[in-house]
Structures are given as C-alpha cells and as structure tokens.
Amino acid sequence: MSIGYRFAEYIPPQDDKQGFESLLKIFLQLVMITSGDVAEALSWLSSLDKQYGLTGDDYGIGDFIEDLKKKGYIDENPQEEGVLKLTAKSEQNIRKSALEEIFGKLKKGGKGSHATPQTGIGDEASTDRREYRFGDALEQISMTDSIRNAQINHGLSDFRLTEQDLEITETEHKTQSSTVLMIDISHSMILYGEDRITPAKKVAMALAELVKQKYPKDTLDVIVFGNDAWQIEIKDLPYLEVGPYHTNTVAGLELAMDILRKRKTPNKQIFMITDGKPTCLKEGVHYYKNSFGLDRKVVNKTLNLAAQCRRIKIPITTFMIASDPYLQQFVDEFTKVNNGQAYYSSLKGLGHLVFRDYGRNRKKSF
C-alpha cells in the first residue's frame, strides 16, 4: 500500500549559489518594482539573499554590485554624490526581459495581424547587415558573413561559431506604421494593495522593445494619462510611478489622436494599458470626477472617441491589467465600438494573456 508523499522545506544544495547572470535577472525585476531606485532594489536584493541564501562565500552581493558597475549596468549619479543610477544598458535589458517574458511564448501560426518573434510573409531582404538579436529567424542569418566573423574572432585553430559572430540580413518592410502607447498612471493602479503599475510597465516595455526590434522604421510615441495626459520618452518607462490621479482616458485618446494626425505613415494604431475604468473628464479649467462605478457621462465620451478612432481607421489594442468583471465589461464594450483588440491579464502573471479580437470575432488564450 502506498504511503503517499511527504513534504518538507526545500533547502538548496550549498553549491547551488547564484552568479552574476542569475542575480542580474532578480535585480532588473526589483529595479522595475522600485521605479528605478537602485539603492532600494539592492537593499531588497540583500534582504532576499539573507532570507534565501542567494549567494555564497565566493561571490556576494558586494561582488555583484562591483560587477554591475564594471559591466555598465549602474553608474554614479553626477548630480548626487554616492547615489547610483541605471544606465541606458540596464534600461534596454529591462525592456528585453519584459519582451521575452510576455511575448516569448508566442508561436508562429497562420497569417495574422499580430507580430511574433519570427519573420513572416511579406518582408523583402535588403543589402544591409546587422548583429544577431533575440527573436531573429534562422533564415535571416547570413552564413557566409557569420563564418567569416568566426574566423576573424577565433582563428582557424580554435574555430567555433558563437552568437556574437552571427550576422543578420536586414529586411525592408513593405509598409510603415505609427504607434502611440498610452499608459494609465492613475491611483487605481495601486489601489487596495494591488500592484497593477508593475505589470503595466512590463507590458509597456515589452511592446516598446517589440516595435523597436521588429519595426525599426516605424514611429513609436509614449504618453501617460491620469487627470491629464502628457508625452514621455521610451527610456523613462522603468521609472514610471502612480500619481494621486483619476483616470482621464479621454485626454489620453485625444492626445494620441493629435500625435497620429501629424504622422504621414499609412498605418496608425493605439496601444492602451489600463485597469479599465475611466473616471475623469476635463471641462474647461475644471475636472469632472466620479470614482464610484462607471459614470455614464465619462463612459459615453470615452466610447465616442473609440468610435471616432474607428471611423478614421485607427485601431486600439487595449491591455487590461485587472480581473474585475465589471471593468472587463467596459473594456469589452470599448473594444467592440472601436472594432479593435484587447488582451486581458490577471496580476498573477503576464505569461497568460487572453486575446480578444473584435475585428475578426476571435478569442484565444496563450
């Protein structure tokens, strides 16, 4: 007769300590949660090390901090002595990490409108070459140039082909697109102890990196919206913080449409990351606010703009960072009016997304 299973606390082997790369992944996650505060992220990392024994006698958190400096991930702030700041290298690595976490599981399927890491039908090879990047298709590798690089870098006596040797044949896309990325930074993104802004930043950085990697000729503008809406730089995404704001989705959509009107590209689109509920309008110099339920006046104005975007052929893809049924009901209606698309994600993890495409009347999970 089977006696079943016995469970006990897992104690990792003494030699199972983490090196630089493993600690870097944790650090980049922490620095995103702390909105770019390097000192706070390192303090949390030290606490985790004390609790879980992440490092050993041969390599400690102090060694990791020195390696972060040597490898160009952090630097001293020239305006504040002793204060550490992220470098551009760290900011790009955070975006790449978010891209891999969120879209890394997408598989190449039938011809559709959503980009995956693989090259699809319709791109034409050019004479341009560049270094290999995560997500490049095998057929893009220029073997002749890559083998030549391997010979130069390693010599014939120690011949080997590494990722750093690979050279890619660049592709020219037949069309260009202009995208505006809208991010909700209202107070509801951290309400009731739920951290919705960190998942929102992950989605924003993944989308930004996807557009930059796959469509370098496209334009990408980023705006945030609370009581009002304003434009920010892509490099500012890891540092976003929630403010004491309501959710003026109308202001965000109006600014996004103003930006897209100035773009001369044939295809235009809006990506909106939100927890769903618009609660604010600006009327002259005053704000009309209602955080209790879905206000009919605010909702109607928001839906009118969704319909206006549909008429001028600007689809809106909404990334819903919440699981509240009544909030999802609003996003459903908003997406249907625009004939757009929506992703729904719970806070438990962004690896599972529910995709709703109203233009094709399809729903799928991945």
Side-chain angles (χ1 to χ4, degrees), residues 115-357:
T116 71
Q118 289 81 18
T119 301
I121 298 171
D123 294 341
E124 294 180 348
S126 75
T127 57
D128 296 334
R129 299 286 188 272
R130 62 168 172 80
E131 75 281 2
Y132 173 85
R133 297 175 191 153
F134 170 78
D136 286 329
L138 289 176
E139 56 264 28
Q140 284 183 265
I141 297 175
S142 172
M143 292 307 300
T144 303
D145 294 311
S146 300
I147 292 172
R148 181 199 62 207
N149 293 340
Q151 290 176 336
I152 294 172
N153 295 335
H154 312 296
L156 290 174
S157 59
D158 186 28
F159 181 80
R160 63 186 185 275
L161 186 65
T162 68
E163 182 179 327
Q164 285 69 40
D165 302 322
L166 297 179
E167 199 159 322
I168 295 298
T169 302
E170 188 61 277
T171 54
E172 293 181 354
H173 300 282
K174 294 181 178 178
T175 187
Q176 291 177 299
S177 180
S178 292
T179 301
V180 172
L181 176 57
M182 293 173 50
I183 308 167
D184 184 350
I185 58 168
S186 64
H187 183 62
S188 62
M189 296 290 278
I190 55 167
L191 207 55
Y192 312 122
E194 287 189 340
D195 178 11
R196 297 175 178 177
I197 190 62
T198 299
K201 286 194 288 188
K202 284 186 179 181
V203 172
M205 288 185 285
L207 289 171
E209 192 65 14
L210 185 68
V211 171
K212 284 170 66 68
Q213 282 193 16
K214 291 294 290 179
Y215 307 107
K217 296 180 182 179
D218 287 1
T219 66
L220 175 65
D221 297 281
V222 183
I223 64 177
V224 294
F225 61 103
N227 289 351
D228 297 288
W230 60 96
Q231 198 164 355
I232 65 169
E233 300 292 328
I234 292 175
K235 64 182 178 62
D236 297 327
L237 287 173
Y239 309 100
L240 281 184
E241 294 182 276
V242 170
Y245 308 124
H246 287 70
T247 310
N248 193 343
T249 310
V250 167
L253 289 172
E254 287 177 339
L255 178 57
M257 292 167 70
D258 285 343
I259 292 171
L260 290 174
R261 284 191 190 100
K262 299 172 185 175
R263 300 299 182 192
K264 305 304 181 186
T265 50
N267 302 296
K268 302 175 182 182
Q269 62 182 340
I270 295 172
F271 288 159
M272 180 170 67
I273 304 170
T274 181
D275 60 358
K277 183 175 69 171
T279 61
C280 176
L281 290 173
K282 191 169 186 180
E283 300 178 324
V285 295
H286 302 288
Y287 294 95
Y288 174 87
K289 304 172 183 176
N290 181 4
S291 299
F292 301 97
L294 289 167
D295 185 282
R296 180 187 58 82
K297 182 176 180 179
V298 178
V299 167
N300 286 347
K301 186 71 181 290
T302 308
L303 293 178
N304 286 342
L305 280 178
Q308 187 177 338
C309 285
R310 178 180 180 176
R311 286 193 294 271
I312 58 178
K313 300 189 183 332
I314 297 179
I316 302 171
T317 299
T318 305
F319 287 77
M320 170 75 169
I321 310 294
S323 54
D324 313 51
Y326 87 99
L327 296 181
Q328 290 189 5
Q329 184 180 357
F330 165 74
V331 172
D332 264 347
E333 186 176 3
F334 176 88
T335 308
K336 191 172 184 179
V337 167
N338 177 255
N339 203 31
Q341 302 170 343
Y343 284 92
Y344 298 94
S345 174
S346 69
L347 299 180
K348 293 180 181 179
L350 295 174
H352 179 76
L353 294 167
V354 178
F355 178 57
R356 189 71 167 93
D357 185 343

